[in-house]
Amino acid sequence: MSDATPIVFVVDDDVSVRESLELLIRCEGWQPEIFASAQEFLSRPRALVPSCLILDVSLPGFNGLDLQKRIASDRIDMPIIFITGHGDIPMSVQAMKAGAVEFLTKPFGDDVLLSAIRNAIERSQATLGREAEIRGAPGRLRVAHSCANGKSWRW
């Protein structure tokens, strides 16, 4: 997992924003995956590598806040950075309460976005690491239980 190139997903209906972000993300050494709609993004299986999602609030079909709700439980390892040209305080509060790590209003500087992406990828790495520990825990718990009961193991 630690050797995997982090993926930065971008969901934005504006082609110029998608192309600009794709170039910026690629120049930083991350792997960009670009989508024009929430539905298009949902068709992509979960990535088990460090990742984050840059998500426009205003999308055709269902909006970014709706997508956030839809993926909240099954993609907890993928922090969400919202971007919008028409944000307001109630919208940003809703996004943050639902778990977004950042809410940026367009236009924003590259350095602000890159810092947000770095922080999000670090969070993703930590979450994936905890998930890996949990998946490995049953075997360790079995060994600890057996040792406590006086059984020995052959290695």
Side-chain angles (χ1 to χ4, degrees), residues 10 17-27 30 32 34:
V10 176
V17 171
R18 288 194 311 268
E19 289 175 350
S20 296
L21 291 178
E22 181 177 23
L23 181 60
L24 179 67
I25 292 162
R26 194 173 307 283
C27 286
W30 299 310
I34 311 301

Side-chain angles (χ1 to χ4, degrees), residues 4-109:
T5 300
I7 300 173
V8 180
F9 297 101
V10 176
V11 180
D12 197 304
D13 60 330
D14 184 331
V15 67
S16 63
V17 171
R18 288 194 311 268
E19 289 175 350
S20 296
L21 291 178
E22 181 177 23
L23 181 60
L24 179 67
I25 292 162
R26 194 173 307 283
C27 286
E28 287 296 311
W30 299 310
Q31 177 185 333
E33 288 196 26
I34 311 301
F35 304 91
S37 69
Q39 292 84 357
E40 196 180 320
F41 172 76
L42 287 171
S43 68
R44 202 259 191 222
R46 179 182 175 202
L48 292 176
V49 299
S51 63
C52 69
L53 171 60
I54 299 173
L55 181 57
D56 189 9
V57 173
S58 303
L59 295 168
F62 57 97
N63 69 33
L65 295 169
D66 293 334
L67 177 59
Q68 181 187 31
K69 287 179 203 167
R70 181 122 180 230
I71 64 174
S73 63
D74 66 329
R75 300 193 190 189
I76 60 169
D77 58 288
M78 185 183 60
I80 298 174
I81 300 166
F82 274 99
I83 58 175
T84 185
H86 309 287
D88 57 27
I89 292 172
M91 183 185 299
S92 64
V93 168
Q94 181 182 351
M96 300 302 278
K97 280 186 172 182
V101 295
E102 192 66 68
F103 193 94
L104 303 175
T105 303
K106 298 174 188 173
F108 45 80

Side-chain angles (χ1 to χ4, degrees), residues 84-154:
T84 185
H86 309 287
D88 57 27
I89 292 172
M91 183 185 299
S92 64
V93 168
Q94 181 182 351
M96 300 302 278
K97 280 186 172 182
V101 295
E102 192 66 68
F103 193 94
L104 303 175
T105 303
K106 298 174 188 173
F108 45 80
D110 290 353
D111 56 333
V112 171
L113 179 60
L114 292 173
S115 176
I117 293 171
R118 273 187 213 94
N119 291 336
I121 288 173
E122 287 173 10
R123 287 177 72 145
S124 178
Q125 287 171 325
T127 301
L128 287 169
R130 284 191 301 275
E131 285 181 358
E133 287 177 15
I134 291 168
R135 281 192 305 273
R140 288 195 304 272
L141 292 175
R142 195 169 39 251
V143 169
H145 177 73
S146 296
C147 291
N149 290 329
K151 295 180 183 174
S152 62
W153 287 86
R154 288 189 199 167

